[in-house]
Amino acid sequence: MLADRQEPAGATIALLVARVPPPAGPTSPGTGTSFGFNFGDAEPLSGAIAAGTSRMGRTSLQLEWRGSGPHTSTSLACPEADPLGAQAASRPHDDPALQDAFVAAVGACAARLRADGIDPGDYTSTAMAQDVEDLRVAADVDTWAMAGSYGTQSAVLLEYLRLHPGRVQAAYMDSPSFASPDGFHGGAAALQETLDVLFDTCEQSPACRADHPDLRRSWDRALDLLTTTPLTGTATVAGQEVDVLVDAPKLVRAVRFALGGEGGPLPALPRIITEAAHGRMAPELAQAVAEDPIFCSGYRPLCHDRRFSLGAFLTNLCSAPPAPEPHVAEASPGTKTKLAHPAIAAVFDDSPYEPACQAWGTPPAKAPPRDDSVDIPLLLMSGALNSFSPPEATRTAASQLGPMAYLLDVPGGSHNVLGFFECAISARNEWSKRPERPPRADACDDTQYAPAP
């Protein structure tokens, strides 16, 4: 692939391709392709889509995304920032020395890449979408019978559909990201929308209501208390005891990761909030903070992929069109939880990624006016507790993407519903047989959030 398609004689990059046939042989016509994982998270080639090819009976081709993964010829990983994660657990969110060290590490990574002749600006979602088109041509595929995306890579799939209309017959998106603040963060409004779902669900559950009366008020109390008196404790990571400090912004980040991050402590969240409101650190909170890579929780939905490429994430974050200011003004009309707490502004409006983007050097692109609609069957799957893909944003997107854009709600789900809910897999599989028809609206109604005792 050309690193920069505006320079036909310029540098090239090599991307690993996996071809995954159904174990029992194809039962559906055509070839599919996959758009996943989240930006910067390397998709395990073949393994992550083998279940899908088996369930849907269709061979699929998959790329390891440029800039991420162990096999690409050019990696945008930034090992300069890796050691900072161990330091962050015991420091406040806005520790100046830690943030300065993070920005310096990002700048050093960008300088190293450019000194090696690598332009981070060549690793955008638009370039990734063109990689998929090059793959289609090289594989002699007339049209993709089915395309699937996961997480923030929905941006690449949508870009592909817009740049190459008619090349995909139908597509599905698991936990798609449509929120604009800071590119792919989702921002304060997305967090508050899913917090409202959590609070209402707890109120409607007799057991949760008895253990955590007025969870919404406990959340407000916890933020106020931790603003002046951070929680302290310890956790064990790789056999070593780690000191942990949680102030109000770090609580915001941990709660968002629990809601919208794959592998976060979602079942324990009501207890985490209640304990914090009483000045106590729940062990799940201490463990999550101790294991957190530098500035991951609250900003990325997946935090424990060792193949993560910070540079690929930064390019797509920093080059996204600027969002309206302030982010907290974008709450949906039905939001019940207050947005104006300083801790929320510290996480989203004053995030360490703003100076990091300046150090990275890929300025925001202009947002061209364009029609968001796509003229193919499109299935959007979203968990009601996903703060990176909030239900209202997904519902609004479905209404704008065209008359064949369908929504599947998973009431008890968070990020990656296909990875955790059989009902979502079955609904996707049934829909794929006749994608011009909407899926069963009640396919996942039996999924419920179950708080831990």
Side-chain angles (χ1 to χ4, degrees):
M1 309 285 186
L2 286 170
D4 181 356
R5 289 182 171 83
Q6 301 302 315
E7 297 185 13
T12 61
I13 56 176
L15 304 178
L16 183 65
V17 177
R19 183 182 184 91
V20 187
T27 57
S28 299
T31 302
T33 188
S34 169
F35 293 73
F37 276 359
N38 299 286
F39 281 115
D41 297 315
E43 184 169 16
L45 283 170
S46 76
I49 58 173
T53 63
S54 176
R55 298 280 193 125
M56 291 191 288
R58 178 179 285 118
T59 296
S60 185
L61 295 179
Q62 179 185 14
L63 274 173
E64 192 168 61
W65 297 109
R66 59 168 58 199
S68 63
H71 306 105
T72 56
S73 61
T74 302
S75 171
L76 265 63
C78 291
E80 294 87 346
D82 290 344
L84 298 176
Q87 304 174 27
S90 62
R91 299 195 192 183
H93 164 80
D94 59 356
D95 181 80
L98 184 66
Q99 294 203 11
D100 288 348
F102 177 62
V103 173
V106 168
C109 181
R112 171 178 55 80
L113 291 169
R114 289 188 169 95
D116 290 341
I118 300 167
D119 182 0
D122 291 337
Y123 294 76
T124 63
S125 59
T126 299
M128 294 177 187
Q130 190 57 48
D131 290 341
V132 176
E133 178 63 4
D134 289 350
L135 172 63
R136 184 194 65 79
V137 173
D140 195 25
V141 173
D142 183 35
T143 60
W144 300 112
M146 181 67 67
S149 72
Y150 166 75
T152 56
Q153 285 284 9
S154 58
V156 182
L157 174 51
L158 286 172
E159 188 74 357
Y160 184 79
L161 295 176
R162 289 163 179 149
L163 291 175
H164 303 286
R167 293 305 185 186
V168 176
Q169 297 175 26
Y172 62 88
M173 298 181 175
D174 180 351
S175 308
S177 178
F178 298 104
S180 61
D182 277 351
F184 303 103
H185 285 180
L191 169 62
Q192 298 299 349
E193 182 182 331
T194 45
L195 273 173
D196 282 339
V197 174
L198 175 74
F199 298 153
D200 290 345
T201 301
C202 186
E203 180 64 26
Q204 294 162 12
S205 165
C208 188
R209 185 173 65 249
D211 291 339
H212 311 286
D214 202 349
L215 191 58
R216 181 177 279 106
R217 184 179 178 186
S218 293
W219 168 247
D220 294 337
R221 287 179 57 193
L223 291 182
D224 290 342
L225 177 61
L226 271 59
T227 296
T228 58
T229 311
L231 305 175
T232 57
T234 60
T236 301
V237 179
Q240 300 293 319
E241 189 173 86
V242 176
D243 291 329
V244 175
L245 179 147
V246 178
D247 56 10
K250 287 175 82 170
L251 179 65
V252 169
R253 288 171 47 203
V255 166
R256 190 185 186 202
F257 180 66
L259 281 167
E262 184 178 345
L266 179 58
L269 194 48
R271 178 160 46 79
I272 287 173
I273 293 172
T274 299
E275 292 286 298
H278 290 87
R280 299 186 296 265
M281 175 128 58
E284 295 89 348
L285 175 60
Q287 195 68 37
V289 172
E291 295 176 344
D292 194 29
I294 184 69
F295 297 126
C296 181
S297 287
Y299 297 115
R300 307 199 313 260
L302 187 62
C303 286
H304 302 295
D305 186 347
R306 294 181 180 179
R307 299 159 300 181
F308 173 72
S309 171
L310 178 60
F313 173 79
L314 284 168
T315 290
N316 286 280
L317 170 70
C318 304
S319 63
E325 296 289 349
H327 303 165
V328 294
E330 298 184 5
S332 62
T335 298
K336 305 171 186 176
T337 308
K338 68 180 182 181
L339 297 172
H341 198 281
I344 296 175
V347 172
F348 297 107
D349 291 333
D350 301 318
S351 87
Y353 284 97
E354 183 174 348
C357 280
Q358 295 176 8
W360 190 243
T362 52
K366 294 182 179 179
R370 60 187 180 190
D371 184 4
D372 282 339
S373 64
V374 292
D375 190 25
I376 63 167
L378 188 61
L379 176 62
L380 313 179
M381 295 170 285
S382 183
L385 293 163
N386 188 350
S387 62
F388 285 85
S389 181
E392 191 58 38
T394 307
R395 193 170 293 110
T396 299
S399 69
Q400 296 172 347
L401 285 168
M404 291 185 289
Y406 309 120
L407 178 65
L408 176 65
D409 282 318
V410 183
S414 181
H415 203 70
N416 186 10
V417 295
L418 287 176
F420 294 96
F421 293 92
E422 182 66 30
C423 68
I425 296 173
S426 298
R428 187 272 315 266
N429 296 346
E430 286 301 313
W431 168 82
S432 70
K433 297 174 183 176
R434 305 206 46 191
E436 70 280 0
R437 294 186 177 183
R440 273 182 43 219
D442 61 350
C444 288
D445 280 0
D446 290 340
T447 65
Q448 298 296 328
Y449 167 67

